[in-house]
Amino acid sequence: MATEQRASGPMRSAAFRFALLLAAVFAIGAAALLVIVQHQIGRYAAEATNGGLKAESAVLAGEYAQLGRQGLIDAMVRHAGVSRDAQYRYLLLGGDGAHLFGDLPRTVARNGWSSVDVTEPAREPGGPTRETFTTLGKPLPGGLTLVVGTDNYDVQRMRARLSRFTLLSGLGIALFALLGGYLTGRLFLRRLDQVNRAVDRIVEGDRAERLPTIGFGPEFDELSHNLNRMLDRNAAAMEALRQVSTDIAHDLRTPLSRLHQRLEQMQDSPVVEPAMIDDALAQTAGILSTFQALLRIGSLEGGIGRKRFTRVDLSELMDRIHQAYAPVAEDAGQSYLADHAQGVVVEGDGELLAQLFTNLVENAIVHTPAGSTITSRLFIAGGVPVAELCDTGPGIPPGERANVFRRFYRLDASRNTEGSGLGLALVAAIAALHGAECSILDREAGLAVRIAFPANEQVPQTKGHSQAATN
C-alpha cells in the first residue's frame, strides 16, 4: 500500500521552514546591527563636532588676542573662504549687540552650547533644505561675543546611506536564504520521494528493494545504510524460514510416511512387540533431531547468535575435539592426527564453533573406511586463521562438491549410512555466521574441507605446533 499523503511542495518542507527561520534571524540581526551602528555613529559624530567647535573657537580667540578685532574678522573670512561649502559658520557681535561678521542667526548669540535650524541652499536637486547647526558661544574681551557653528549634513547623509545599505543587505540576505531554502527543499523532497517510493515497494512485498542514499550528508547516508542492513537481515531471516518450511515439506515426507506405516502395523497387530515400539521411537527421535537441525540452520542463516560472540581460543578448542574423538576414530580402525598452531584466537561463539568441527570430524569418521587417516590442521596464512580437516577416504566427485553444503544432500554411496544430510549444511551456516569462507579443496584422493576465518589482529605471527596421532 502506498503512503497515504506526502508533502505537497517545498514550501511545506522542513528545509524551507528552517531557511525561513534563518531569514528571520538575519533580519533581526540586521535591524539590531543598524541600531547599534547608528548609535555609535551618532555618538562619534557628536564628540567630533564638539571637539572641532572647541578647537575652532580656541584658534579664533587666539587670533583676537594677538591681532585684535580686525584680525579676528580676517581670520574668519579666511576660514569661511576655504571652500564653497565651508565646515564652520560664524557670528560676531559687538559689545553693543551690533553685527560685525557672520551669517548665523542672532538667536544663537549666547554663551555655551546651542542648536538652531537654518535654511540652506539646495545641495542636491529638490530645493532648499532645513539643516540643524550645533553652535558654541564664547565671550571675548571688550564685550564681543563669538559664536562658531557647524551643520550635521554629512553625518545625516552617512546615516541615511547606512540605513539604506543595511536594509537592502538584510532584505537581500533574507531573500537569498528563502530562495536557498526553497531550492534545497525541492531537492530534498525529490530525493525523499525516491526513498518513500522504495518504502512503498518494500511494503508491497518487494524484498529485494533497498533504500537509496539521500546524499545530504553522511548522517543521512548512514541512516539509509543502517536501514538497508536491517532489511537485509530481515530478508535473510524470512528466506531462512521459507527454506526451512520447504525442506520440511519435501524432505521429511518419507520418514513421516514410514512412521505412519509403522504405527498402522502396530494398530493392526494383535500383539505389539517391544521391538516395533523401539523402532517407532527411534524414527520419532530421528525426525525430532532433523527438526532441531533445520531450525538451528534457519536461525543461523538469519543472523541469530552474533550477540554472543567473544574471543575464542581456536587452538584450544580444536585440541579438545581431537582428544575427544581420537578414541572414536581408533575404535573405527582409523588414524586421527592433529597439527594445530597455538594461540590462534578468533571472534565467535565457542559452542557453535565446537559444533562445526565436531560435525566435520563425525562426517569424516562415518564416511571413510577403516585404515583411513583423518588430519586436523590449524595455521595462519597471510594473517588469516585457517582450519582444515582432511581424510584419505573415497572423497567427493568434483561435480558433486558444490552440492554437499545443501540441506538433505547425500551422495548415493552414503544413503545407506545413518544421518539426515544436514551435518555439512550446519557447518556452512555456522561458518557464514562467523564471516568465514567454507570450501572444499582439490585433492587426488580423499576430502579436504577448509574454513578460512576473517583476518584477526590477535593472530600469532609464528606457529607453534602440537601433533598427536592415534594408530
Side-chain angles (χ1 to χ4, degrees), residues 374-394:
I374 302 170
T375 305
S376 173
R377 296 191 179 94
L378 177 63
F379 56 91
I380 306 301
V384 175
V386 178
E388 290 181 355
L389 193 82
C390 312
D391 63 58
T392 58

Side-chain angles (χ1 to χ4, degrees), residues 82-397:
V82 172
S83 64
R84 186 177 63 87
D85 187 15
Q87 181 179 3
Y88 297 107
R89 306 279 286 275
Y90 306 100
L91 176 65
L92 180 64
L93 300 177
D96 55 357
H99 182 275
L100 301 178
F101 182 82
D103 56 0
L104 287 175
R106 297 176 68 92
T107 55
V108 298
R110 64 175 64 95
N111 296 329
W113 298 100
S114 181
S115 63
V116 63
D117 291 334
V118 178
T119 301
E120 289 287 285
R123 303 191 188 189
E124 298 178 357
T129 59
R130 296 283 292 179
E131 297 182 12
T132 299
F133 276 70
T134 300
T135 62
L136 175 61
K138 184 179 182 66
L140 297 178
L144 277 65
T145 300
L146 173 65
V147 180
V148 181
T150 185
D151 60 57
N152 299 322
Y153 176 77
D154 293 334
V155 175
Q156 295 298 335
R157 186 172 59 176
M158 182 174 63
R159 282 184 172 181
R161 289 181 177 178
L162 180 62
S163 299
R164 288 195 299 270
F165 174 78
T166 306
L167 178 61
L168 293 177
S169 299
L171 289 176
I173 293 174
L175 291 176
F176 182 78
L178 291 176
L179 179 61
Y182 176 80
L183 296 177
T184 303
R186 287 192 60 181
L187 181 60
F188 182 77
L189 287 180
R190 186 180 303 170
R191 297 190 180 182
L192 192 61
D193 186 65
Q194 297 176 359
V195 175
N196 287 328
R197 293 182 186 277
V199 172
D200 290 341
R201 290 189 289 269
I202 294 172
V203 172
E204 291 170 358
D206 187 355
R207 290 181 300 203
E209 181 66 39
R210 292 297 178 267
L211 302 180
T213 56
I214 298 178
F216 269 82
E219 61 275 8
F220 289 103
D221 293 340
E222 183 178 2
L223 175 62
S224 297
H225 175 69
N226 290 334
L227 290 175
N228 286 334
R229 286 179 55 203
M230 179 186 69
L231 292 172
D232 291 338
R233 182 67 57 82
N234 290 340
M238 293 296 295
E239 178 61 23
L241 179 61
R242 186 195 66 79
Q243 187 64 41
V244 169
S245 302
T246 302
D247 293 337
I248 291 174
H250 288 81
D251 296 287
L252 290 181
R253 183 179 305 168
T254 299
L256 287 173
S257 297
R258 292 175 180 172
L259 178 60
H260 182 73
Q261 293 174 1
R262 176 65 65 182
L263 294 176
E264 286 183 339
Q265 293 176 1
M266 294 171 61
Q267 185 180 30
D268 296 337
S269 176
V271 178
V272 179
E273 299 180 359
M276 298 176 65
I277 297 176
D278 293 340
D279 185 53
L281 290 175
Q283 292 185 25
T284 303
I287 293 172
L288 291 175
S289 176
T290 301
F291 267 110
Q292 292 176 353
L294 284 172
L295 292 174
R296 191 167 197 186
I297 291 173
S299 65
L300 292 174
E301 291 180 343
I304 299 175
R306 288 191 177 93
K307 292 183 178 180
R308 298 190 303 173
F309 276 17
T310 58
R311 288 166 50 84
V312 178
D313 189 340
L314 204 58
S315 303
E316 188 271 338
L317 185 147
M318 295 186 69
D319 285 343
R320 283 193 287 109
I321 293 176
H322 171 260
Q323 295 172 3
Y325 279 91
V328 179
E330 183 179 7
D331 292 342
Q334 301 157 339
S335 297
Y336 183 11
L337 306 179
D339 184 11
H340 301 155
Q342 296 303 299
V344 178
V345 177
V346 298
E347 291 289 327
D349 186 317
E351 294 183 4
L352 292 178
L353 290 175
Q355 181 72 58
L356 182 152
F357 292 108
T358 297
N359 283 15
L360 289 176
V361 173
E362 289 180 349
N363 185 76
I365 292 175
V366 170
H367 296 289
T368 56
S372 301
T373 300
I374 302 170
T375 305
S376 173
R377 296 191 179 94
L378 177 63
F379 56 91
I380 306 301
V384 175
V386 178
E388 290 181 355
L389 193 82
C390 312
D391 63 58
T392 58
I396 298 176

